Amino acid sequence: MATRHTPAAVPEATIGHRRRAVIASTVGTAIEWYDFFLYGTAAALVFPHVFFPGHATYTGVLASFGTQFVGFAARPLGAAIFGHIGDRVGRKSTLVTTLLLMGASTFLMGLLPGYASLGLAAPVLLVLLRIVQGIGVGGEWGGSVLLSMEWGSRSRRGLMASWPQLGVPLGLLASTGMVKLMNSVAGGGFDSWGWRVPFLASAVLIGIGLYVRLRVLESPAFTEVKQERVVVRQPVWSVLRHQPRAVLTAAFVRMSEQAPFYLFITFVLTYGTEKVGLPKGELLNDTLIAAAVGLISVPLFGHLSDRFGRRRVYGIGICCVGLFAFPYFAMLDTGSSGLVLLAIVLSLVFHDIQYGPQAALIAEGFGTNVRYSGAGLGYQLASVIAGGPAPLIAAAILQHTGSSTSISWYIIGCALVAMAALLLMPRQAPEVTVPQAALATHDSAREGHAVSGD
């Protein structure tokens, strides 16, 4: 049995507070994704030579993408740790910690000597830092999305929650731009020292992010939860026990978004340079253009989900990704600059049709007092089944078959799984729905409230 509590209407936030929450969420998230994507770009272009030398081309690539997967595997752990803190203590303080974790690990990667200097210790330390990165980003997403979404009105949650999602194209734009800049500046020295500069620059970005986040107020929705004394003792356990379908469908609905995305932004660099023979700089330019388009498309589709429904918009995105699986590689294989650019831009636009409404779609499946834990766990579990293994699977397929055909079928399979999860996903949850025994504190004035099933 569960106590269902609907809090009083949240007072309308001032324009200044709302804007500050959106900026704090978006800027901080952009910085964290800058760190995370920077690793992915380096894993495709540099790390096979720096940390895994002496291997055949694709063996080194597989080893490099393997260390990338470690970061994905750590993200659910970060979601559980910081979901607990975020639902118990608050969104704001949790987000400051995740930002520091990401920044410190990325900065230290820039100082890490390669295999030639440290031997086996170099890739081991790289993996450890990648785990810290994964824990940080695993706890980041839920809090940043909720801080923005919970400051907005219910009728605009799709748009409000999409602003932090801009961290993805912003982070991709910044990381790819820095790599391209240093590739031009360092020239032949890029593999030895040039790649380190974007990692070291993370320290400056973290300072900016902290300044912005420390000035924001806690979200009104979570403040209401604390005032009404319905904070949950063990939010992670509570949500896993009482809403397992919501968590699992949130993970599997991302199969068509996250798995193809990491093929579109990281594996494409390996495929384009090694298989098609395209210049590294040209691929980075195309990725920059596609990321810039995302600055418009992500909030646009978040807004459209407020008007036409999240499931409808998301379902269209799933279909687009599935239908584009074969044309995508066919366009890359032509080697034509125009078609390659079009393929990369369209791939990320179809991704954004899902990514824009995704935050609100997932977060609305959980009550406010378990939302950080539930939404974060569902979102980050996809890293283990979708984003993490995707480049590894694609690289292994290409190594064994020499063809992209099976990779296209893999993308289609991800789309089918995501569509099934979308159809099975529970409808929007009450603002607060938790078992009475799970409440950290219980106001005796609430004991007369009606009791209903989960």
Side-chain angles (χ1 to χ4, degrees):
M1 303 299 285
T3 300
R4 176 172 299 176
H5 170 67
T6 302
V10 175
E12 185 68 23
T14 65
I15 295 176
H17 287 157
R18 179 181 293 141
R19 183 186 297 119
R20 193 176 297 171
V22 169
I23 292 174
S25 297
T26 306
V27 170
T29 305
I31 293 170
E32 297 216 26
W33 282 116
Y34 166 86
D35 292 347
F36 207 72
F37 288 148
L38 190 59
Y39 187 99
T41 304
L45 299 178
V46 181
F47 287 174
H49 315 297
V50 176
F51 293 101
F52 307 99
H55 298 286
T57 300
Y58 275 106
T59 304
V61 169
L62 285 170
S64 184
F65 281 146
T67 62
Q68 184 183 15
F69 174 71
V70 169
F72 284 96
R75 282 165 66 171
L77 176 60
I81 294 172
F82 292 107
H84 176 85
I85 298 172
D87 281 329
R88 291 274 302 182
V89 179
R91 287 48 165 139
K92 175 184 173 178
S93 57
T94 307
L95 288 174
V96 170
T97 306
T98 60
L99 190 63
L100 287 172
L101 272 181
M102 285 290 293
S105 58
T106 303
F107 180 79
L108 290 174
M109 284 180 185
L111 298 176
L112 186 62
Y115 188 91
S117 300
L118 290 184
L120 188 60
V124 170
L125 290 173
L126 181 68
V127 168
L128 292 176
L129 290 173
R130 181 61 174 173
I131 290 173
V132 176
Q133 252 196 351
I135 291 173
V137 81
E140 159 69 22
W141 180 85
S144 62
V145 164
L146 299 187
L147 190 63
S148 180
M149 188 183 87
E150 291 175 354
W151 267 104
S153 63
R154 293 176 63 88
S155 62
R156 300 182 64 197
R157 279 182 168 177
L159 177 61
M160 291 296 289
S162 72
W163 289 118
Q165 302 286 73
L166 276 181
V168 167
L170 284 171
L172 180 59
L173 193 65
S175 62
T176 305
M178 280 293 289
V179 170
K180 178 175 172 54
L181 174 64
M182 292 310 303
N183 187 45
S184 300
V185 172
F190 181 75
D191 285 1
S192 60
W193 65 270
W195 68 270
R196 298 181 182 277
V197 176
F199 283 81
L200 297 176
S202 177
V204 178
L205 297 178
I206 295 304
I208 297 171
L210 285 174
Y211 171 77
V212 173
R213 282 196 168 168
L214 288 172
R215 297 176 68 241
V216 75
L217 298 179
E218 183 58 82
S219 83
F222 185 75
T223 300
E224 181 86 6
V225 164
K226 296 195 78 171
Q227 290 175 346
E228 297 293 334
R229 303 177 68 187
V230 285
V231 174
V232 179
R233 288 193 188 94
Q234 297 177 313
V236 174
W237 169 243
S238 179
V239 82
L240 287 175
R241 181 180 179 187
H242 297 279
Q243 292 184 275
R245 191 175 77 169
V247 173
L248 291 175
T249 53
F252 282 104
V253 82
R254 299 196 65 210
M255 285 292 292
S256 60
E257 171 266 316
Q258 196 189 44
F261 178 70
Y262 283 97
L263 301 185
F264 296 155
I265 67 163
T266 57
F267 176 73
V268 68
L269 300 177
T270 297
Y271 184 87
T273 54
E274 303 293 339
K275 176 68 175 175
V276 185
L278 295 169
K280 181 194 308 180
E282 181 180 323
L283 289 170
L284 290 173
N285 281 338
D286 294 345
T287 305
L288 281 171
I289 294 171
V293 172
L295 299 179
I296 299 172
S297 56
V298 170
L300 171 63
F301 292 114
H303 169 67
L304 290 177
S305 76
D306 285 328
R307 295 197 60 187
F308 303 107
R310 314 215 198 287
R311 293 166 188 264
R312 181 175 301 170
V313 174
Y314 200 95
I316 291 172
I318 292 174
C319 293
C320 287
V321 167
L323 292 173
F324 193 57
F326 278 100
Y328 173 71
F329 284 102
M331 294 165 75
L332 292 179
D333 289 339
T334 65
S336 167
S337 296
L339 288 176
V340 169
L341 171 61
L342 183 61
I344 292 175
V345 170
L346 285 178
S347 68
L348 291 191
V349 169
F350 294 151
H351 161 269
D352 294 345
I353 297 175
Q354 301 166 81
Y355 203 63
Q358 186 181 86
L361 175 71
I362 293 175
E364 287 178 337
F366 304 93
T368 306
N369 53 352
V370 294
R371 188 174 286 154
Y372 201 137
S373 300
L377 279 173
Y379 184 90
Q380 302 299 354
L381 281 173
S383 301
V384 179
I385 60 175
L392 277 170
I393 291 171
I397 289 173
L398 189 61
Q399 182 182 15
H400 285 91
T401 67
S403 168
S404 62
T405 301
S406 295
I407 303 175
S408 295
W409 281 116
Y410 168 61
I411 293 174
I412 292 172
C414 290
L416 292 174
V417 171
M419 184 61 76
L422 182 66
L423 296 174
L424 293 171
M425 183 174 279
R427 296 292 172 177
Q428 185 171 325
E431 283 302 301
V432 179
T433 304
V434 295
Q436 182 173 314
L439 298 181
T441 58
H442 185 67
D443 188 346
S444 60
R446 302 282 169 196
E447 292 177 356
H449 275 212
V451 175
S452 60
D454 290 311

